[in-house]
Each structure stands twice: as C-alpha cells, then as structure tokens.
Amino acid sequence: MPPPPPSWFPFRQANPQARLRLFCFPYAGGGASIYNTWSAALPPTVELVSVQPPGRERRILEKPVHDIARLVEALEPEMRPLLDKPFVLMGYSMGTRIALALTQRWQARGEPLPLGLVVAAGGAPHMQRMSRGNLNDKDFIELLRAYEGTPAELFAHKELMEMVLPTLRADFALADSVLPATPVRVPIVAYGGLEDSHVSIADLERWRELTTGEFRARHFAGKHFFLRTERVPLLEALREDLTRWAPELAS
C-alpha cells in the first residue's frame, strides 16, 4: 500500500465542542510539537491545530520549502476543511510571516478572515531586512548560536547539523521574506521579549501598520525564545486575547 500522505497537523485532536480553532505556526527550526502542551492552558472550547511544515519532525525526509508563496499554496488546501468554525492564527518568529501571508491572501480574494492574528517574536514583515541566505555554513551556525534556540547537542554533532542545515536555511529564507505592506481587516496583537536582541520593541510596534483594526502590543520578560522561559504569562495573555475576540469562549 502507498504510504499515507504527510500530515500538516500531526497532533491535532478533533474537538466537536470547539467554538474556535487556533492555528499555530512554528519558529525557524521548530515543528508542531512546540505547541503540544498548550491545549491544557486554553479554554476547553478552543481546538489547537499546530502546523507542521515539511523538513522537520515527522516530515524530516521531505524537502523544506524556501519560498513563502509556495508554502502558503501547499498549506492552504489542507487548512480549508478546518475553516468551518471561527479561527485565529498565531505565529512565532518565522511563523508570523506565514500567518500574515495567509490572511493577506484570503483578504485579497474576499474570503473569510481570522478573528485575530497573534504575532510573537517577529519584526513587521513589510520592512526590508538583510537576507541571511548567503551566509556560509560557519557564519550561519554562529547566527544560530546567537539566537540561543538550538539545542547545544546539535552543535556538537557535525553529521546531525549537516542533516538539519537545509531545513534551517529554508526557514530563515521564510523568516527573511518581505510581505506587502497591505493592512488586513483583522485585529493584531504582537508579543515581544523585553530582552530580545533580534526583534526590538520598535520593530514589534510596526505591526500596527499592518491592520485597519485594533492593535495591541504585549511585552514579556526574556529573550527571543520567551515562549519557553515565560510560558505561563504568555499563555495567560493568549487566553485573554482569544476570549476578547470570541467572548463565547468564557461561557
């Protein structure tokens, strides 16, 4: 028998009682598993759908995608059957680009939009930035060290690092994507780390330019990966934002 098709949502647990679906997109090098424990901290009527791009975790043997338009085109048909309920998109770092690209695409076609966007640890993607795609392997690995998000044991194993470098490079290409400065008719809340040397508070604030709706910024202690060090306050904020956009979740 042919192998089953790759799953974009390998950890999804269908919730017939759900009033809202929360789609979560990972950071560069991350996979769907980073959101595995979040469901317990969210309202029981929220169905968490963590997204697994190619080239990582259960999709490690697949070729990663460098181009955000191609990624969105492949992902969108998989998401469509799950857009039959109100939904919110949440992206972390690289994932913020995916969330906005999908929303801009749907808005341009006059399709239903998310109730809100949660963008965390990502600078506003309509701002031009220096591409990191031309870095040699040595400099690229030093860049990974500076982010302090890659497990230390990975740097110690040359063969393992060589295996994951293509996915990491593809993810950084996605993270460096510059998207249109087209505002979306969706409220945006931007989460940032006060000690994040890669995304300043000023960079975070420029997400304000990408919505015609409400904009809020939330600041957390910690560096770029504050989703690990500030998990409890982050999830409390997320629960509050979801309930603000969908008050029925509180009942």
Side-chain angles (χ1 to χ4, degrees):
M1 294 182 62
S7 174
W8 286 85
F9 319 118
F11 304 109
R12 177 189 169 227
Q13 295 183 345
N15 178 3
Q17 308 305 316
R19 299 180 179 180
L20 177 84
R21 286 197 175 100
L22 172 64
F23 292 89
C24 293
F25 306 98
Y27 50 77
S33 66
I34 65 177
Y35 300 111
N36 267 359
T37 62
W38 282 26
S39 287
L42 299 175
T45 49
V46 172
E47 181 181 303
L48 179 68
V49 185
S50 52
V51 178
Q52 187 82 288
R56 71 213 67 223
E57 294 183 355
R58 298 184 184 184
R59 304 184 69 181
I60 186 67
L61 297 180
E62 296 178 58
K63 186 177 180 179
V65 180
H66 292 73
D67 181 76
I68 197 161
R70 284 183 51 213
L71 179 68
V72 168
E73 286 171 5
L75 171 59
E76 186 182 21
E78 304 295 325
M79 292 180 66
R80 190 165 300 283
L82 301 181
L83 303 182
D84 58 331
K85 295 183 177 183
F87 62 98
V88 167
L89 305 184
M90 189 272 182
Y92 201 94
S93 197
M94 173 194 76
T96 63
R97 262 71 176 162
I98 303 172
L100 181 65
L102 282 166
T103 305
Q104 289 180 330
R105 182 182 180 95
W106 293 329
Q107 178 171 282
R109 296 197 305 229
E111 298 185 9
L113 299 177
L115 298 183
L117 294 182
V118 180
V119 292
H126 62 309
M127 306 306 300
Q128 192 68 44
R129 62 179 300 169
M130 183 180 298
S131 172
R132 295 163 287 188
N134 294 325
L135 293 175
N136 60 40
D137 284 352
K138 179 177 180 295
D139 290 341
F140 186 76
I141 289 171
E142 287 307 307
L143 175 67
L144 295 177
R145 291 184 189 275
Y147 270 90
E148 301 180 1
T150 305
E153 55 268 23
L154 189 60
F155 295 112
H157 292 82
K158 183 174 183 291
E159 295 80 6
L160 188 57
M161 177 59 77
E162 289 175 350
M163 185 173 72
V164 302
L165 267 180
T167 294
L168 288 165
R169 283 190 173 277
D171 283 1
F172 270 79
L174 296 176
D176 289 343
S177 300
V178 178
L179 299 183
T182 306
V184 293
R185 298 185 301 274
V186 173
I188 293 178
V189 59
Y191 295 178
L194 290 170
E195 301 169 61
D196 187 347
S197 60
H198 304 283
V199 180
S200 69
I201 297 303
D203 291 338
L204 200 71
E205 284 286 335
R206 298 211 66 169
W207 279 95
R208 183 186 304 274
E209 301 166 17
L210 292 173
T211 178
T212 59
E214 179 191 41
F215 173 80
R216 290 190 182 190
R218 291 183 180 268
H219 305 146
F220 301 85
K223 299 181 181 180
H224 190 68
F225 286 95
F226 61 86
L227 88 166
R228 298 173 181 168
T229 59
E230 301 299 316
R231 179 183 180 277
V232 171
L234 185 154
L235 288 173
E236 287 177 350
L238 179 59
R239 184 183 181 111
E240 181 181 312
D241 289 321
L242 295 179
T243 304
R244 189 174 74 257
W245 292 329
E248 65 272 17
L249 297 177
S251 60

